[in-house]
Amino acid sequence: MSYIHVAACFLLVAAGGGIVLALASRRRGPVPAAVLLTVLVLFLLTAVFDTLMIASGLFHYAQGPLLGLHIGLAPIEDFAYPLAGALLLPALWTALRARRRAREASTENDEARG
């Protein structure tokens, strides 16, 4: 299995989870501009720090399973993980906030009745 296959699995799970969580929360999801800004910042950090870590010899990749595209020394496959996080975590945050609000509203209703 190549690195791109593993990265694709992460992205599919993150995108699917993000969609399910967004639908389950029944509220307005994350602001697209905020998600895009997050992706850009995470890509920049990935490019810089992966390049530094690879250059210093902390780790290396077998070249066979790589696509061969790099940003700095970071293989393009490495950018799937911050993208997956930027897709999934805001949806998870929104769903958890909606759940907490529903629980608080339920508690307030119970207190008003009792």
Side-chain angles (χ1 to χ4, degrees):
M1 183 180 283
S2 68
Y3 293 122
I4 196 67
H5 290 110
V6 174
C9 290
F10 271 90
L11 285 175
L12 285 173
V13 169
I19 290 168
V20 167
L21 288 169
L23 293 172
S25 70
R26 295 186 189 125
R27 296 188 146 270
R28 197 180 108 223
V31 178
V35 173
L36 179 61
L37 179 61
T38 300
V39 169
L40 292 174
V41 169
L42 289 175
F43 277 12
L44 176 65
L45 291 171
T46 299
V48 169
F49 288 104
D50 276 19
T51 296
L52 290 173
M53 290 186 291
I54 292 167
S56 69
L58 287 176
F59 61 91
H60 68 280
Y61 291 93
Q63 294 303 309
L66 292 175
L67 287 177
L69 299 171
H70 292 78
I71 297 176
L73 296 177
I76 199 76
E77 292 88 344
D78 266 3
F79 293 87
Y81 308 108
L83 178 58
L87 293 174
L88 183 59
L89 293 177
L92 179 61
W93 182 268
T94 301
L96 290 174
R97 281 184 23 194
R99 182 178 168 191
R100 185 183 69 202
R101 285 184 184 140
R103 187 176 44 226
E104 288 171 354
S106 174
T107 302
E108 289 173 7
N109 288 340
D110 290 345
E111 289 173 358
R113 280 188 238 147

